Amino acid sequence: MQAAMDITAKYCHKEMEAYGSCVASNPSTWQEKCYELKMKVAQCTSSHPVIQKIRQDCSKQFVEFERCLRENQDQPTSCSPHVARFLGCAETVDLSGVDTNPLPQPS
């Protein structure tokens, strides 16, 4: 998971920072107010092979985490166990054969 976090930070730092700031600033309405920023993070990260592999292998845990966030918009910290399960899964993903440093695609 650290590799995925490093990749996200490396390639999507601006988007992650804006989304995190929005969530922190809007504790009870972040799901609605930060949706566009969330989509920008998703768009930024979705093309990276390592993140694609983690999403594929841990989709169940990630969906459960997102459901928890939707159902607990006023208390996102109550989803900590869901985050832990997702991170635990991500740590076990086999990244052998995955290109962890692809060339950037032209826009």
Side-chain angles (χ1 to χ4, degrees):
M1 185 62 190
Q2 187 58 47
M5 295 301 287
D6 290 346
I7 289 162
T8 301
K10 181 175 181 180
Y11 295 107
C12 307
H13 177 74
K14 181 179 74 172
E15 293 86 349
M16 288 291 293
E17 197 168 271
Y19 178 59
S21 178
C22 181
V23 170
S25 299
N26 299 284
S28 61
T29 58
W30 67 269
Q31 192 74 3
E32 178 185 331
K33 292 193 179 212
C34 307
Y35 180 78
E36 190 173 320
L37 293 171
K38 177 183 174 183
M39 291 298 101
K40 286 182 180 181
V41 171
Q43 181 181 13
C44 180
T45 61
S46 66
S47 62
H48 200 283
V50 169
I51 295 173
Q52 287 176 340
K53 177 75 169 147
I54 290 171
R55 282 187 177 166
Q56 177 184 340
D57 290 6
C58 301
S59 62
K60 179 182 177 221
Q61 292 85 348
F62 190 74
V63 167
E64 290 172 0
F65 168 58
E66 285 204 318
R67 183 180 308 122
C68 180
L69 288 177
R70 279 193 304 276
E71 293 171 357
N72 298 283
Q73 291 184 30
D74 293 338
Q75 295 181 318
T77 55
S78 67
C79 299
S80 294
H82 296 79
V83 173
R85 282 192 288 276
F86 173 68
L87 294 176
C89 175
E91 290 288 345
T92 67
V93 172
D94 180 8
L95 297 177
S96 61
V98 176
D99 184 1
T100 59
N101 197 16
L103 295 174
Q105 299 297 314
S107 304

